[in-house]
């Protein structure tokens, strides 16, 4: 199963749909996780934190194929 976490676009939205801890849990369950570059920036979560948790950080979400679940606040 492939999960995609996207950046929030609504003005003043500081939440993100998944944290690095959430990503670790999804990866442990066998999911592939992709996170849009900067998705956690407003929540003070770096792209490197997502990478360390097992996610692939992608700049172009349109290039991510075969997504089963899209996470967004």
């Amino acid at each position: 199963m492939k999960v995609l976490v996207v950046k929030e676009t609504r003005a003043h939205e500081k939440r993100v749909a998944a944290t690095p801890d959430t990503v670790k849990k999804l990866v442990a369950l066998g999911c592939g996780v992709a996170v849009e570059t900067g998705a956690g920036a407003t929540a003070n979560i770096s792209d490197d934190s997502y990478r360390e948790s097992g996610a692939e950080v992608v700049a172009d979400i349109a290039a991510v194929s075969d997504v089963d679940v899209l996470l967004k606040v």
Side-chain angles (χ1 to χ4, degrees):
M1 177 179 286
K2 182 97 175 215
V3 178
L4 175 61
V5 181
V6 296
K7 191 177 351 180
E8 298 303 320
T9 56
R10 181 167 247 165
H12 310 294
E13 180 58 72
K14 296 185 187 277
R15 297 174 294 173
V16 62
T19 64
D21 285 339
T22 306
V23 169
K24 282 181 190 176
K25 290 175 183 178
L26 290 169
V27 170
L29 291 171
C31 297
V33 181
V35 178
E36 183 177 9
T37 301
T42 58
N44 295 319
I45 301 171
S46 70
D47 289 343
D48 286 338
S49 293
Y50 284 112
R51 281 188 196 96
E52 291 167 5
S53 297
E56 172 189 8
V57 177
V58 295
D60 181 12
I61 59 171
V64 180
S65 61
D66 298 330
V67 172
D68 299 299
V69 178
L70 177 90
L71 295 180
K72 184 170 173 50
V73 174

